[in-house]
C-alpha cells in the first residue's frame, strides 16, 4: 500500500475569470486529501468523505494512470479533512494525492512539475476545462498568483508576498455543484453577453493587481474590500446562490472585513476575512447560527 497527500486551496480573487486568462490569487490551506492505494485486479474507489462523485473520480484515476503510463490497476481510498462540496480544490487535491501515492509506490522520484502535469490530466475528468489553478495549488501550496496560458505548459504562477497573517473563516453551504457545470454556465453567460463579460474580466484583473499589493503590505482592510468587490462580479455571472449569500451576510454582520464565494460557487464554499483569531471565532459562530458547517484557516 502507498499513501499520497494533496492540499486544498481557497481562491481569494478572480475565480472563473481565471479560466479566460485573467490572473487569479489563491492561497493554500492545511486541509488535505489523503489517498491510500493498493494494487487490485480492477480499478476501484472508496471514500470516507461525503459528496464525491464515484464515476468522475474513477475516470480521473484512469486519466492519471494513462498519463503516467501505468498498466496495473489499483483500489484507491480517499480520506482526509478537506470538504468535497466544492470550492476548496478537493478534486485537484485528490488527483495530486493519487499521483504522489503512485510516485511512492513505484519510487519514481517525480518533480513537482511532473506531479502537477499528471494531476491536471486527472482534473480534466472533473472540470472539462480546468484553468490549472487548482492542481497547481494542490501541488505547490503557498500564496500564488496564477495566469492561465494557451497550453498547460504556458501557465505562469509565482508566489506572492503576504505582509501580515490572514485569518479566514470558510463557510460550507453543503450544496455540491460540479465545477464543470458552473464553468459551463459562465461560458454561456460570456457567449450571450460578451461585452459585459469582458468588462467584468477587466474589473477582476484590477482587483488582482490591487489585491497583490494589499497582500504584500498587509492591508487587511483593503483585502476585505477587494473581496467584497470580487463578490459583486461573482454575483453578476450568477455563481452566488441564496445559501452563499446567507453565509456572506452572516459573516459581514459579524464584522468580517470581506466575504465572497470561493471557487466554482453555485453552493460550495464561501470565505470571510477576520480581523484576528478571536474575531474569526465570532464569524464562525455567526455562520454556525445560520446552520452551516464552517472552519477557520490561517495563512501566514
Ligand atoms: O470549485 P473549485 O475548487 O474546483 O475551483 C474552481 C475554480 C474555477 O476558477 C471556477 C475553475 C478553474 O478551473 O479555474
Amino acid at each position: 500500500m502507498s499513501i499520497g497527500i494533496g492540499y486544498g486551496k481557497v481562491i481569494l480573487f478572480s475565480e472563473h475569470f481565471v479560466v479566460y486568462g485573467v490572473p487569479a490569487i489563491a492561497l493554500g490551506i492545511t486541509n488535505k486529501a489523503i489517498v491510500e492505494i493498493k494494487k487490485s485486479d480492477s480499478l476501484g474507489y472508496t471514500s470516507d468523505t461525503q459528496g464525491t462523485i464515484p464515476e468522475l473520480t474513477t475516470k480521473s484515476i484512469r486519466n492519471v494512470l494513462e498519463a503516467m503510463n501505468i498498466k496495473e490497476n489499483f483500489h484507491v481510498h480517499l480520506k482526509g479533512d478537506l470538504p468535497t462540496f466544492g470550492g476548496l480544490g478537493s478534486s485537484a487535491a485528490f488527483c495530486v494525492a493519487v499521483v504522489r501515492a503512485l510516485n511512492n509506490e513505484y519510487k519514481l522520484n517525480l518533480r513537482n512539475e511532473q506531479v502537477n502535469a499528471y494531476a491536471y490530466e486527472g482534473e480534466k475528468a472533473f472540470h472539462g476545462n480546468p484553468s490549472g489553478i487548482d492542481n497547481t495549488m494542490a501541488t505547490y501550496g503557498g500564496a500564488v498568483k496564477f495566469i492561465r496560458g494557451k497550453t498547460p505548459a504556458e501557465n505562469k504562477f509565482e508566489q506572492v508576498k503576504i505582509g501580515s497573517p490572514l485569518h479566514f473563516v470558510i463557510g460550507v453551504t453543503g450544496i455540491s455543484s460540479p465545477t464543470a457545470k458552473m464553468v459551463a454556465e459562465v461560458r454561456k453567460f460570456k457567449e450571450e453577453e460578451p461585452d459585459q463579460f469582458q468588462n467584468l474580466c477587466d474589473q477582476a484583473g484590477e482587483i488582482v493587481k490591487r489585491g497583490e499589493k494589499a497582500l504584500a503590505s498587509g492591508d487587511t482592510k483593503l483585502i476585505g474590500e477587494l473581496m467584497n468587490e470580487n463578490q459583486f462580479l461573482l454575483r453578476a455571472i450568477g455563481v452566488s446562490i441564496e445559501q452563499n449569500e446567507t453565509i456572506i451576510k452572516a459573516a459581514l454582520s459579524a464584522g468580517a472585513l470581506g466575504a465572497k464565494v470561493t471557487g466554482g460557487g453555485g453552493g460550495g464554499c464561501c470565505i470571510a476575512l477576520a480581523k484576528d483569531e478571536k474575531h474569526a471565532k465570532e464569524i464562525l459562530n455567526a455562520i454556525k447560527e445560520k446552520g452551516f458547517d464552517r472552519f477557520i484557516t490561517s495563512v501566514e
Side-chain angles (χ1 to χ4, degrees):
M1 187 188 76
S2 296
I3 289 183
I5 291 177
Y7 287 91
K9 62 95 214 351
V10 288
I11 298 185
L12 189 59
F13 301 124
S14 194
E15 50 274 273
H16 283 292
F17 306 105
V18 67
V19 173
Y20 301 97
V22 179
I25 293 181
L27 308 170
I29 58 173
T30 50
N31 297 68
K32 54 191 173 298
I34 303 172
V35 305
E36 295 170 351
I37 60 167
K38 262 191 215 137
K39 277 192 191 150
S40 163
D41 290 342
S42 59
L43 199 64
Y45 166 71
T46 47
S47 168
D48 281 352
T49 55
Q50 286 179 331
T52 67
I53 306 168
E55 309 84 74
L56 298 186
T57 313
T58 312
K59 186 164 186 292
S60 82
I61 302 167
R62 196 164 286 127
N63 284 2
V64 168
L65 290 172
E66 261 173 42
M68 293 177 75
N69 203 17
I70 293 172
K71 308 286 181 220
E72 287 177 294
N73 273 321
F74 286 87
H75 184 91
V76 177
H77 182 72
L78 168 66
K79 49 191 202 173
D81 60 355
L82 184 63
T84 48
F85 287 112
L88 302 179
S90 56
S91 57
F94 171 80
C95 294
V96 166
V98 171
V99 176
R100 291 213 197 276
L102 290 166
N103 182 43
N104 292 338
E105 176 79 19
Y106 292 104
K107 301 188 175 45
L108 299 173
N109 248 330
L110 294 178
R111 285 173 285 117
N112 275 341
E113 205 184 314
Q114 294 168 296
V115 171
N116 197 14
Y118 291 137
Y120 181 78
E121 294 306 313
E123 259 291 78
K124 283 183 183 167
F126 295 100
H127 269 228
N129 181 23
S131 66
I133 190 169
D134 284 7
N135 44 285
T136 300
M137 290 308 298
T139 305
Y140 295 91
V144 167
K145 180 166 90 170
F146 178 92
I147 306 174
R148 184 182 198 175
K150 285 201 177 66
T151 64
E154 289 172 275
N155 291 347
K156 288 199 187 107
F157 58 93
E158 60 188 33
Q159 295 286 336
V160 298
K161 217 181 131 221
I162 303 289
S164 71
L166 300 170
H167 303 280
F168 291 105
V169 181
I170 314 282
V172 186
T173 63
I175 295 170
S176 185
S177 267
T179 308
K181 175 175 162 263
M182 300 313 295
V183 170
E185 280 177 20
V186 175
R187 174 171 293 278
K188 195 160 165 270
F189 178 96
K190 175 183 179 278
E191 280 160 9
E192 283 168 4
E193 305 285 347
D195 294 344
Q196 198 191 341
F197 190 75
Q198 186 53 51
N199 184 278
L200 295 169
C201 283
D202 295 345
Q203 290 185 56
E206 276 307 308
I207 289 173
V208 171
K209 256 192 220 156
R210 293 170 62 206
E212 191 178 354
K213 286 191 193 136
L215 283 168
S217 64
D219 188 343
T220 45
K221 191 165 166 284
L222 181 56
I223 297 168
E225 280 166 22
L226 292 168
M227 287 169 69
N228 292 338
E229 277 185 37
N230 195 155
Q231 175 60 17
F232 274 110
L233 309 185
L234 295 171
R235 276 188 199 120
I237 56 172
V239 300
S240 186
I241 64 169
E242 196 188 324
Q243 289 81 350
N244 296 113
E245 292 298 328
T246 307
I247 291 177
I248 290 166
K249 205 167 154 206
L252 292 176
S253 304
L257 299 170
K260 62 184 274 294
V261 161
T262 187
C269 293
C270 296
I271 175 176
L273 179 60
K275 290 173 200 147
D276 51 35
E277 240 176 299
K278 185 171 161 278
H279 185 215
K281 287 190 187 128
E282 286 165 31
I283 298 174
L284 198 74
N285 282 335
I287 295 174
K288 183 181 172 197
E289 270 170 28
K290 297 286 170 197
F292 294 103
D293 202 2
R294 69 272 143 204
F295 58 95
I296 294 177
T297 186
S298 300
V299 178
E300 303 286 336

